[in-house]
Amino acid sequence: MLPPFQTALPVIQTLEDAGYEAFFVGGSIRDSLLGRPVHDVDIATSAKPEEVKALFKQTVDVGIEHGTVLVLYGRRQYEVTTFRTESEYKDYRRPESVEYVDSLLLDLKRRDFTMNAIAMDKTGKLIDPFSGKEAIRDKRIETVGSPEERFREDALRMMRAVRFMSQLGFEIENGTKRAIRVYAHLLKYIAVERITQEFIKLLEGVRPYEALAFLCETRLLSYLPGLEKMEMRLMPALNSALNELTESQLWVYLIKAVEPDDENAFLRKWKLPNLKRKAILRTLGFVRKRTARPWDTVMLYDAGKKTAVDAETVFCALRREDWREHTPAIEKVFREMPITDRSQLAVDGKMLMDFFSKKGGPWLKEMLREIETAVLTGKVDNQWDAIRGWLACKHPQEKKF
């Protein structure tokens, strides 16, 4: 048994000593079987929420209306959820009500995919009524029971399936795939924030190319923010190079591929944080500049190293070229630059005002930019004496001797 489970054993034991059943459940079991790192360990129990709270000194009601209590134990925290079944769902997302049950089997039966419907007792024995271990072995994503029922209950499960496809490198089995095609339209009832969470995890996965192609193929793409009827634009632009891109680079690639009318409005629809949205748009701007002409020292300086590398990577991916052949040259230019930031310039606004005996104004920004460019292109050394002499020759009419 892996250390995260061993650390949580006292919680299981406390529940069992009080006469309740308790098991490890969910993604932690799946990840342990896959050899992936196990982070959050969740526990399912026959104890009711009030009974769980009575057994532990420190608890938080994180989702008590759905039977979940956060237990703080030994500097760690564990979500402990009562065995439950769920009634009819409203808005294709939330159950109308939750009913507590005494059966682990009924609790596992309500879960989304077979690979997530495996439990483990305190001895490490697996309880696997829906053959989730077999699905993991075969790298297969399939729902517990009817996919039609699971997706009508919670339409976000369709996005979770595609997210797992990207994260785990699994395939979605045919019955589940057919149901996604049929019920893709139900995604319009899901809150944008929930869709964005799943989409970001998809982009962070190991196979975003295959996942994005699946979104196009099943028409799920049309129910994502700003991507209605964009399959014909995105699909031709997809290629395996996407599996090498980071999440932020993939946002830039996506915008460049579908060319929305207003890129800023497109990102706002996803409700991304302002700083992230601005960084994506900035990189996109340099991809467009790079498309128009090769990099030069000044353009690289203006971009900054990270943005320049991101832009070049996306540019190469769009052209189906290996970015690894290009980014080392960019990094070499940055290593050889006399300055990589204006703060490194051997002159500032006050020195220029003193030199020209002039008050501040728009001219100051223009002059600093001119000096920056001259230093970057090797026309003058980044030393005040050299810059002062260069200015005197360059702008003799401005200098008051």
Side-chain angles (χ1 to χ4, degrees):
M1 186 179 290
L2 295 174
F5 297 112
Q6 292 175 345
T7 304
L9 279 176
V11 178
I12 295 278
Q13 195 63 57
T14 299
L15 289 162
E16 289 190 347
D17 288 347
Y20 303 109
E21 290 184 281
F23 301 88
F24 299 114
V25 293
S28 60
I29 310 300
R30 177 199 68 230
D31 288 342
S32 68
L33 291 172
L34 284 166
R36 291 164 58 91
V38 173
H39 301 292
D40 298 327
V41 172
D42 296 334
I43 295 168
T45 180
S46 59
K48 306 297 188 294
E50 295 76 13
E51 295 166 335
V52 173
K53 292 174 68 175
L55 289 173
F56 298 95
K57 292 181 180 180
Q58 291 182 290
T59 63
V60 180
D61 296 349
V62 292
I64 197 165
E65 69 277 9
H66 294 120
T68 300
V69 174
L70 189 69
V71 172
L72 309 179
Y73 191 95
R75 296 184 180 180
R76 297 182 182 274
Q77 54 188 37
Y78 305 97
E79 286 192 3
V80 179
T81 304
T82 305
F83 298 157
R84 71 191 195 201
T85 60
E86 295 164 346
S87 66
E88 292 295 320
Y89 282 64
K90 60 182 179 181
D91 301 328
Y92 304 100
R93 176 64 186 134
R94 299 181 299 276
E96 291 279 4
S97 62
V98 169
E99 179 183 349
Y100 300 138
V101 294
D102 294 323
S103 168
L104 172 65
L105 177 61
L106 289 176
D107 184 82
L108 295 177
K109 188 177 179 180
R110 71 176 174 80
R111 295 174 185 267
D112 52 8
F113 306 111
T114 58
M115 63 182 179
N116 296 331
I118 307 172
M120 184 173 72
D121 69 13
K122 65 181 181 182
T123 70
K125 178 185 175 182
L126 297 179
I127 298 89
D128 184 17
F130 304 105
S131 302
K133 187 177 179 181
E134 180 182 309
I136 290 172
R137 182 197 68 199
D138 296 339
K139 298 186 176 182
R140 184 177 68 246
I141 299 170
E142 60 186 2
T143 59
V144 175
S146 164
E148 291 81 7
E149 289 182 21
R150 296 294 83 78
F151 297 149
R152 284 199 302 266
E153 289 169 349
D154 182 354
L156 188 65
R157 286 171 173 163
M158 294 183 284
M159 281 298 295
R160 281 171 57 80
V162 189
R163 181 252 287 188
F164 283 127
M165 181 183 187
S166 177
Q167 284 184 321
L168 304 178
F170 284 15
E171 297 294 334
I172 297 175
E173 65 90 22
N174 288 333
T176 303
K177 185 175 181 178
R178 285 193 296 270
I180 289 175
R181 282 198 186 99
V182 173
Y183 292 102
H185 66 281
L186 296 183
L187 205 61
K188 64 187 177 185
Y189 295 102
I190 303 301
V192 168
E193 292 86 350
R194 303 302 298 274
I195 292 173
T196 299
Q197 287 176 1
E198 296 297 330
F199 192 71
I200 287 174
K201 291 175 183 177
L202 179 160
L203 296 181
E204 291 173 336
V206 296
R207 290 177 61 196
Y209 160 54
E210 289 82 357
L212 289 169
F214 185 91
L215 290 174
C216 291
E217 182 185 349
T218 57
R219 298 295 306 280
L220 266 179
L221 190 81
S222 276
Y223 300 96
L224 300 183
L227 291 172
E228 184 179 0
K229 298 180 180 179
M230 289 291 191
E231 290 87 358
M232 296 304 292
R233 292 191 189 182
L234 181 58
M235 196 66 185
L238 297 179
N239 65 86
S240 59
L242 272 65
N243 290 341
E244 303 294 329
L245 303 191
T246 66
E247 181 240 344
S248 59
Q249 291 168 353
L250 283 165
W251 280 108
V252 179
Y253 190 101
L254 178 64
I255 296 174
K256 195 70 178 65
V258 302
E259 293 288 1
D261 293 336
D262 186 329
E263 296 94 353
N264 192 28
F266 172 81
L267 291 174
R268 285 184 181 277
K269 288 179 181 179
W270 287 90
K271 299 194 175 180
L272 295 178
N274 286 340
L275 286 178
K276 183 171 186 173
R277 180 168 42 82
K278 289 177 181 178
I280 291 168
L281 293 174
R282 187 169 187 274
T283 303
L284 177 65
F286 280 99
V287 171
R288 292 208 166 105
K289 289 180 180 180
R290 174 67 180 92
T291 303
R293 60 187 175 91
W295 293 105
D296 59 36
T297 303
V298 175
M299 189 162 78
L300 287 171
Y301 170 86
D302 288 342
K305 183 177 176 180
K306 183 183 183 306
T307 298
V309 170
D310 283 348
E312 182 66 16
T313 302
V314 173
F315 172 77
C316 290
L318 287 162
R319 293 163 60 93
R320 290 170 166 76
E321 296 177 358
D322 189 349
W323 54 269
R324 296 175 191 83
E325 297 178 4
H326 299 260
T327 53
I330 289 175
E331 292 172 349
K332 182 175 184 293
V333 172
F334 273 97
R335 287 195 299 271
E336 296 174 353
M337 275 186 189
I339 59 170
T340 57
D341 187 85
R342 178 167 286 184
S343 63
Q344 299 170 348
L345 204 59
V347 62
D348 58 26
K350 184 178 185 306
M351 294 165 73
L352 289 178
M353 286 188 287
D354 291 344
F355 180 74
F356 287 109
S357 301
K358 292 175 63 175
K359 293 182 178 179
W363 72 272
L364 204 53
K365 182 178 180 181
E366 294 171 4
M367 189 67 72
L368 283 168
R369 177 59 174 176
E370 187 177 348
I371 297 168
E372 249 179 352
T373 302
V375 168
L376 287 166
T377 55
K379 293 178 180 178
V380 62
D381 290 337
N382 186 34
Q383 298 174 358
W384 174 229
D385 287 344
I387 292 171
R388 186 168 49 190
W390 180 81
L391 288 173
C393 294
K394 183 77 173 176
H395 299 280
Q397 71 283 4
E398 298 285 341
K399 180 74 176 86
K400 295 181 179 178
F401 296 99

